[in-house]
Amino acid sequence: MNFKRYILTFFGLLISEVLLAQISSDFGTGNSTNNTFPKTNSTTTTAKKGSRRGGLDDSTKVIYGPTSTKYFLEEDVFNNRKKLYTIDTTLGEGHNFNFVQRNRNLYQDLGNMGTAIRPIFFKAPEQIGTMLGYDAYSLYSFKPNQVRYYNTRSPFSNLVYVTGGNEQDLLQFELSRNVDSLWNFSINLQRIVGNKQLVSSTSSSNKNAMGHWDFMVHTNYQTRNKKYQLLAYANLSDHNSNDEGGVLPQGRTYDVILQQSNNASILANAATRDKFYNLHLYHEYVGYKAFQVYQVLDFQTRKVQFRDPDYVANWTSGFYPIAYDTLGKASRYTTDATVTNKMKLDSLYNENSYSIFEHKSGIKGFYRGFNYRLHLRQRFFGFSNPLYNYSINKNENFLGVWLNQYFKDSTRAFAEVEYLLTGSDFKLNVEFQGKWLNIGGKAMSTSPTLVQQVMFNDGFRWDKNTSSFVTTSGISNNMQTYTAYASASPKFGNLVLRPSADITLINSYIYYDTLAFVKQASSDIGIFRAGMGLDWKKGRFSTTNQLYLTTTTGPDVIRIPKIFANSRLAFDLLYKKKLFIHTGLELHYKSNYYADGYMPAIQQFHLQDTQLIKGYVQADVFADMRINRVRLFVKFANVAQGILGNGYYAAPGFAGMGRTFGFGLQWLLFD
């Protein structure tokens, strides 16, 4: 779809909705936080004389809407918070459709929506135990804490379509309906596609950078006496990527590459596929408020594959690391008797399969503001690499305790601890949440991931448990992290300040070096970060700002920009009492740093010292609009290109999105 069709489609939708708004009655806006916007009022008619029940005049009045469709989250049920959420129909932040900006620019991708992505700041593992370690695309898949379990009085659907410019597209569809008053069934669909940047059509036969599918069905059921409740979903996630490896410099500087369109990617025919099926179930029985029984079940199968048929040429050019034989001579790895015929000397192929069954069973309850949980968690997993004829089957057992106390002034304090019975993994988390002050600490000891322990293909080989390889992983200890943090949110009239500070100490940090081989730091690493947020609103004008200053000590193996800043200036408008507009300018800046590169053959980010990612002010102009139940946005991204510079790099060798125009819509239907 070209630019002209974008404009015609957008204004066609806009005009049709304005006309509908003029002839329709007052439609609701749900749980709006802006007093200018009216709230939803479901209307019923008065029963006629002689009738025995009130009727609903669905021909002239709005019967169903955001207030008649509610949802809840598994986390709230799990924590005994009986909380229902109404559908958000405020203007929100629809223009922040890509996964970097919707996460406040705290992630680094490869320039396109849906490409490999990682946190900018150090992030400790979320779970203890032996995890898989393939996380480059995990942010794009549905998570248990994100699933909305509905209770609807009418069929509800939610359609989101975004064409973000430069052939980036996002489609999300949600359909929910109650079978009866106790049982709901829902469907979620997500599709993400994007094309390569800075690569000319003549230098690449395939301009498609990636394609991602998610399909999920979920259900929730509660008995009439509310003693038993079940939440469950099944999800299929399928990610396919045509890996570029970055832009081929060919003797030119990266600054010059940004100005040209006749570029070629380093990898011409490499491809990744990451596919998994996941079944998740949570159910509980509430005998008494102070004594309840619960269980969480998860089952997943996953296969991760990578192939580069041009391995010899890309090894010769230096993209893949040089291995050394027993005589110290540079060479590629050679096949041996343990390798299947999938692996050839002229092609790099990587494949790993993973399956896991996990259950967490325990008791919980609450009494006069005090909540508790005790659980046993068991994981049974299998991991195999058919090229190495390697497989492992293992089980891990954990015990955990969670305690929480609510006080009369709505403050709370909680603590949780979990311990691996057959190893040295543990997790400890304590926090106090006050009215305007939060303070807490975390301590974790986590096992190396399976990918960090074992890797085998014609370009990368290591094994934590054997010294027979020329390259061994060198991992001997768990990684341990200790963090203390504090944040506040004092309010002074229309001004809200959000100061924060956190200190993290990391022992035996596991990382991937400049050759993308796994290593473990021998010295401790310290990370010190101070932040300040500022929110201010006056009338129709508002601004939101966030600044982080970061420094590190110890080995230079965690690269973080010293300065990180976000800023938004926005203004609210109301046109013809029907068209609500939230428009403004968003700015983002990171200072110079050697951002991690990406190695698709092992699906990991790694250290690099070749390209300095220079600081660049990214500026986006946006307008979010709402007409009745339809929300739309237009966005002019990177408007400063050509003014503040010729562009920027999102990751080494990968250009950030250039100046683009995009728009999208969200359509809510309640009947």
Side-chain angles (χ1 to χ4, degrees):
M1 183 181 290
N2 57 31
F3 183 84
K4 183 178 180 181
R5 292 182 64 188
Y6 286 169
I7 297 295
L8 292 176
T9 302
F10 167 71
F11 280 104
L13 288 168
L14 186 62
I15 292 170
S16 63
E17 285 301 315
V18 170
L19 291 174
L20 286 173
Q22 296 296 330
I23 63 175
S24 63
S25 58
D26 186 20
F27 284 74
T29 63
N31 54 348
S32 171
T33 57
N34 190 332
N35 292 331
T36 305
F37 301 162
K39 295 186 176 181
T40 299
N41 290 311
S42 297
T43 306
T44 60
T45 61
T46 306
K48 294 181 179 180
K49 290 184 179 181
S51 65
R52 296 188 178 182
R53 65 181 69 179
L56 293 177
D57 183 5
D58 57 1
S59 63
T60 60
K61 299 295 183 180
V62 178
I63 306 170
Y64 303 113
T67 58
S68 66
T69 300
K70 301 181 185 296
Y71 68 90
F72 58 93
L73 303 175
E74 180 179 314
E75 182 181 11
D76 292 324
V77 177
F78 190 45
N79 292 323
N80 292 314
R81 295 194 297 260
K82 305 300 182 181
K83 187 173 183 180
L84 291 175
Y85 302 87
T86 55
I87 304 300
D88 184 9
T89 58
T90 59
L91 285 177
E93 299 181 15
H95 65 279
N96 285 329
F97 59 89
N98 71 50
F99 289 78
V100 171
Q101 292 182 335
R102 70 171 63 178
N103 285 283
R104 301 293 186 267
N105 297 298
L106 295 172
Y107 282 80
Q108 163 202 341
D109 64 7
L110 305 184
N112 275 16
M113 180 172 58
T115 53
I117 193 168
R118 66 179 292 272
I120 294 290
F121 297 98
F122 170 78
K123 188 176 181 180
E126 296 180 357
Q127 292 190 41
I128 60 175
T130 307
M131 309 303 293
L132 177 59
Y134 284 119
D135 297 317
Y137 304 112
S138 60
L139 189 67
Y140 303 119
S141 299
F142 296 127
K143 306 295 188 302
N145 62 350
Q146 297 172 338
V147 180
R148 296 181 175 187
Y149 294 97
Y150 286 95
N151 182 12
T152 66
R153 295 178 55 194
S154 64
F156 165 70
S157 57
N158 180 13
L159 173 65
V160 177
Y161 175 69
V162 175
T163 178
N166 281 6
E167 300 180 81
Q168 297 181 107
D169 293 289
L170 170 67
L171 173 67
Q172 294 175 326
F173 177 72
E174 186 175 25
L175 174 65
S176 181
R177 180 164 187 167
N178 271 37
V179 178
D180 56 35
S181 61
L182 303 172
W183 183 21
N184 176 273
F185 182 83
S186 303
I187 298 174
N188 288 73
L189 174 70
Q190 177 176 254
R191 173 65 169 166
I192 308 171
V193 295
N195 276 11
K196 299 175 181 178
Q197 302 295 311
L198 279 188
V199 177
S200 66
S201 58
T202 58
S203 64
S204 177
S205 59
N206 188 352
K207 287 278 289 181
N208 184 26
M210 53 74 57
H212 179 91
W213 278 103
D214 270 302
F215 178 74
M216 179 176 66
V217 294
H218 63 85
T219 186
N220 68 87
Y221 171 78
Q222 186 178 47
T223 57
R224 194 169 298 279
N225 61 6
K226 299 184 180 182
K227 293 289 187 180
Y228 177 79
Q229 188 167 10
L230 179 146
L231 316 175
Y233 73 79
N235 181 35
L236 163 64
S237 181
D238 191 359
H239 189 99
N240 292 270
S241 174
N242 294 315
D243 299 293
E244 301 176 72
V247 177
L248 188 62
Q250 295 180 333
R252 299 171 294 169
T253 66
Y254 284 104
D255 289 339
V256 172
I257 290 175
L258 278 174
Q259 304 174 43
Q260 300 184 359
S261 59
N262 60 336
N263 300 300
S265 59
I266 296 175
L267 306 180
N269 300 299
T272 293
R273 187 173 190 184
D274 190 345
K275 184 178 182 179
F276 71 82
Y277 302 90
N278 187 42
L279 299 175
H280 175 85
L281 181 146
Y282 171 85
H283 61 149
E284 66 177 23
Y285 179 78
V286 181
Y288 302 95
K289 289 183 178 181
F291 185 82
Q292 307 166 24
V293 181
Y294 72 92
Q295 186 177 60
V296 185
L297 301 174
D298 278 286
F299 174 74
Q300 183 183 119
T301 61
R302 186 172 180 182
K303 179 179 285 189
V304 180
Q305 299 168 290
F306 172 82
R307 182 185 294 278
D308 184 2
D310 304 322
Y311 171 54
V312 174
N314 293 320
W315 177 83
T316 304
S317 67
F319 178 77
Y320 295 112
I322 297 176
Y324 293 89
D325 60 20
T326 55
L327 299 178
K329 180 181 178 181
S331 67
R332 289 178 288 118
Y333 290 121
T334 57
T335 58
D336 54 46
T338 65
V339 179
T340 70
N341 58 11
K342 288 184 178 181
M343 190 173 185
K344 301 177 181 179
L345 287 177
D346 60 348
S347 175
L348 191 153
Y349 180 75
N350 185 61
E351 178 180 324
N352 287 291
S353 298
Y354 177 71
S355 63
I356 180 173
F357 171 75
E358 176 175 316
H359 81 88
K360 180 162 71 173
S361 306
I363 59 174
K364 65 187 181 84
F366 65 97
Y367 180 74
R368 292 186 177 180
F370 175 73
N371 289 37
Y372 75 91
R373 284 200 307 266
L374 306 173
H375 74 256
L376 166 67
R377 183 163 68 96
Q378 291 183 299
R379 303 175 72 242
F380 303 88
F381 63 87
F383 176 76
S384 64
N385 183 317
L387 306 178
Y388 183 29
N389 285 341
Y390 174 89
S391 64
I392 180 175
N393 293 283
K394 188 178 179 181
N395 70 289
E396 295 177 330
N397 302 297
F398 307 82
L399 286 178
V401 179
W402 180 87
L403 304 173
N404 179 83
Q405 177 65 56
Y406 285 99
F407 300 99
K408 292 182 179 180
D409 58 356
S410 299
T411 61
R412 65 181 288 244
F414 74 88
E416 63 175 332
V417 61
E418 189 176 45
Y419 180 72
L420 175 62
L421 297 179
T422 55
S424 57
D425 289 34
F426 69 86
K427 176 175 69 174
L428 173 65
N429 185 17
V430 295
E431 183 173 341
F432 170 79
Q433 297 179 354
K435 289 184 176 180
W436 58 271
L437 174 66
N438 288 3
I439 187 169
K442 297 179 181 179
M444 295 186 72
S445 175
T446 54
S447 297
T449 67
L450 289 168
V451 177
Q452 291 168 346
Q453 294 185 38
V454 178
M455 177 59 65
F456 188 92
N457 57 52
D458 211 21
F460 301 88
R461 298 186 185 183
W462 57 74
D463 191 334
K464 175 180 180 292
N465 301 309
T466 148
S467 59
S468 61
F469 282 175
V470 176
T471 304
T472 59
S473 70
I475 297 175
S476 58
N477 302 311
N478 276 15
M479 182 177 73
Q480 298 180 345
T481 61
Y482 305 90
T483 302
Y485 58 91
S487 63
S489 55
K491 185 176 181 180
F492 307 94
N494 295 326
L495 176 66
V496 178
L497 299 178
R498 291 178 283 107
S500 64
D502 53 81
I503 302 174
T504 300
L505 177 66
I506 309 170
N507 178 262
S508 300
Y509 177 64
I510 302 173
Y511 64 99
Y512 296 87
D513 64 13
T514 55
L515 297 178
F517 284 99
V518 68
K519 294 293 177 61
Q520 188 162 38
S522 58
S523 302
D524 292 348
I525 300 172
I527 303 175
F528 307 89
R529 186 178 72 175
M532 173 58 75
L534 185 152
D535 301 339
W536 183 74
K537 185 173 183 179
K538 182 69 173 180
R540 296 181 180 273
F541 175 80
S542 63
T543 181
T544 300
N545 307 273
Q546 180 65 59
L547 172 69
Y548 289 115
L549 303 177
T550 307
T551 185
T552 61
T553 62
D556 184 25
V557 294
I558 299 181
R559 276 70 181 284
I560 301 173
K562 295 184 180 299
I563 303 174
F564 176 100
N566 289 325
S567 182
R568 177 194 294 171
L569 305 173
F571 192 78
D572 293 326
L573 300 171
L574 177 61
Y575 179 72
K576 295 290 187 179
K577 299 183 180 180
K578 294 296 181 181
L579 177 60
F580 302 96
I581 304 174
H582 181 70
T583 184
L585 172 70
E586 286 188 332
L587 304 172
H588 171 62
Y589 173 78
K590 292 188 291 288
S591 59
N592 298 350
Y593 76 117
Y594 283 94
D596 285 358
Y598 180 66
M599 174 51 67
I602 57 173
Q603 205 182 103
Q604 304 296 327
F605 285 86
H606 64 91
L607 297 178
Q608 63 87 29
D609 299 322
T610 304
Q611 183 183 359
L612 177 69
I613 303 300
K614 297 181 179 180
Y616 179 80
V617 177
Q618 182 179 347
D620 301 334
V621 176
F622 68 91
D624 293 308
M625 293 164 280
R626 181 176 60 79
I627 312 169
N628 296 338
R629 303 269 172 77
V630 177
R631 287 186 286 186
L632 309 99
F633 77 83
V634 291
K635 182 175 183 177
F636 197 11
N638 201 8
V639 295
Q641 184 174 354
I643 301 174
L644 301 179
N646 292 311
Y648 67 100
Y649 281 90
F654 293 90
M657 189 60 60
R659 185 188 294 114
T660 56
F661 175 84
F663 75 90
L665 66 89
Q666 179 184 20
W667 205 319
L668 299 171
L669 298 173
F670 295 94
D671 49 27

